[in-house]
């Protein structure tokens, strides 16, 4: 009977040590998963807000815009200055 008690005590000791070693890892995994889920939800909400804003700010005209002559002239002058200096 004494050997059965020693075996039970040994087994419970090993299981206790195993639990002490494994528990922090399991808590860390759960914590990482929770943070990943929160980041995913925040990213989805952010993308949804951006798509809503772009739909609201979209112009009614589907025609592409052409830069004005002044913009074209200024861009040309800037590029020439960079080349000549």
């Amino acid at each position: 009977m004494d050997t059965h008690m020693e075996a039970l005590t040994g087994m419970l000791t090993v299981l206790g040590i195993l639990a002490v070693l494994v528990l922090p890892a399991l808590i860390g995994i759960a914590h990482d998963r929770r943070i990943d889920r929160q980041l995913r939800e925040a990213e989805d909400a952010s993308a949804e807000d951006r798509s809503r804003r772009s739909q609201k700010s979209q112009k009614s005209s589907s025609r592409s815009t052409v830069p004005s002559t002044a913009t074209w002239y200024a861009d040309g002058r800037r590029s020439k200055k960079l080349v000549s200096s």
Side-chain angles (χ1 to χ4, degrees):
M1 186 75 170
D2 191 34
T3 57
H4 292 295
M5 256 331 232
E6 285 181 21
L8 180 64
T9 305
M11 186 171 54
L12 290 176
T13 303
V14 168
L15 289 175
I17 292 171
L18 182 66
V20 167
L21 293 175
V22 171
L23 189 63
L26 294 176
I27 291 171
I29 290 170
H31 185 258
D32 286 347
R33 286 190 178 183
R34 183 174 50 100
I35 290 173
D36 289 343
R37 182 177 37 87
Q38 289 173 346
L39 287 173
R40 248 183 282 119
E41 289 172 358
E43 189 176 298
D44 291 344
S46 175
E48 189 175 302
D49 287 346
R50 269 182 279 173
S51 67
R52 245 189 263 137
R53 276 192 222 138
S54 68
Q55 288 174 354
K56 287 180 182 178
S57 66
Q58 192 174 17
K59 295 181 180 180
S60 60
S61 173
S62 62
R63 202 173 66 148
S64 65
T65 58
V66 179
S68 68
T69 305
T71 306
W72 173 79
Y73 180 73
D75 287 340
R77 301 249 325 144
R78 275 191 223 110
S79 65
K80 287 179 185 175
K81 282 183 181 178
L82 292 174
V83 170
S84 64
S85 57

